[in-house]
Amino acid sequence: MTTFKELKAEVQGALGGIDTTTANLAVARGVNAGVQAAAFLFNPHQLQVSGTLTASAGSGSVSMSSLTGLLLINSVYSQSTGEKVHRLRFTDLDMPWVPTSGRILFYSDRGGELYYRPKADETLLVYYLKRPDRLVDDTDEYPFDGHEEFVISFASAYAWGYVEEDESSQMWQRISDQVGLPDGLVKQLQDKINLLVNPRTGDEG
């Protein structure tokens, strides 16, 4: 398996071998940001897990805090019936055509909560993608199969933006240009990665 040290060396090379405290920090954070982005985009099976949430007829939403490391929901099922619960846009949950009684048919997730309709007492089985662990030690291994080239490309653009003190919008434009992502995906990634590795504050998840 590829190690953190090997990934950093590739990105360091893309920076022209710059060896300063700032550059080294940028490379490490860039690799971690790239790993998080690759996980989000490619949904590797090594990070696919499941958990349960208890829905209540008296609520209509339930906290997802028990889903450890949640990055992305893949699917939701009723644990008792095995029937799939279908995703809706949040704004459609209370449309007139959505049933108000019976088993849970629809869900949407927002702000750490899973909203469901109809409101019912039910246990929901959630299949989701968990966040990869942050790479810290040189011997830490890349957490899933494939997409290392994407990670290196993403990390290189991120690290250059960090070193050159790009504002957030400039950095994400640099990343978009480097890896060729459409604007819609860049926006989704920005919302996720900013929570994990903020280039201006240094906060890391």
Side-chain angles (χ1 to χ4, degrees):
M1 294 288 288
T2 306
T3 65
F4 188 30
K5 182 178 181 179
E6 291 168 334
L7 290 170
K8 288 190 295 182
E10 292 285 347
V11 178
Q12 198 87 44
L15 291 182
I18 300 173
D19 187 15
T20 65
T21 300
T22 298
N24 292 336
L25 182 61
V27 167
R29 288 181 174 164
V31 169
N32 273 294
V35 171
Q36 302 283 349
F40 180 79
L41 290 173
F42 302 115
N43 211 332
H45 69 86
Q46 292 92 341
L47 300 178
Q48 294 174 14
V49 295
S50 64
T52 59
L53 297 175
T54 302
S56 168
S59 176
S61 71
V62 58
S63 170
M64 297 187 292
S65 60
S66 63
L67 302 179
T68 304
L70 172 66
L71 182 61
L72 177 72
I73 291 178
N74 285 325
S75 57
V76 178
Y77 291 84
S78 166
Q79 189 175 56
S80 59
T81 68
E83 297 285 340
K84 186 171 184 177
V85 179
H86 299 277
R87 185 192 298 269
L88 281 184
R89 291 183 302 180
F90 182 77
T91 53
D92 288 342
L93 281 178
D94 293 315
M95 295 294 284
W97 50 266
V98 175
T100 57
S101 62
R103 73 172 188 85
I104 295 174
L105 299 173
F106 303 109
Y107 81 93
S108 186
D109 57 294
R110 173 178 286 193
E113 293 278 314
L114 187 136
Y115 295 82
Y116 49 87
R117 298 291 186 274
K119 300 176 182 180
D121 296 324
E122 199 164 344
T123 299
L124 301 175
L125 178 59
V126 182
Y127 292 92
Y128 68 97
L129 182 74
K130 69 174 184 178
R131 300 185 190 279
D133 293 334
R134 187 162 63 91
L135 303 176
V136 177
D137 298 324
D138 281 349
T139 55
D140 287 347
E141 295 184 342
Y142 182 64
F144 45 87
D145 296 333
H147 313 297
E148 288 95 331
E149 290 301 318
F150 172 89
V151 171
I152 292 165
S153 182
F154 186 104
S156 300
Y158 185 104
W160 268 121
Y162 190 101
V163 169
E164 297 188 6
E165 298 187 348
D166 283 354
E167 294 299 323
S168 180
S169 60
Q170 294 173 306
M171 175 172 288
W172 284 100
Q173 185 60 55
R174 184 190 294 268
I175 291 169
S176 177
D177 292 344
Q178 175 83 11
V179 300
L181 292 175
D183 290 343
L185 276 180
V186 170
K187 179 64 173 76
Q188 292 179 53
L189 280 175
Q190 187 174 359
D191 291 342
K192 295 292 183 180
I193 303 302
N194 276 353
L195 297 176
L196 299 165
V197 190
N198 188 311
R200 297 276 62 86
T201 67
D203 295 337
E204 298 191 49

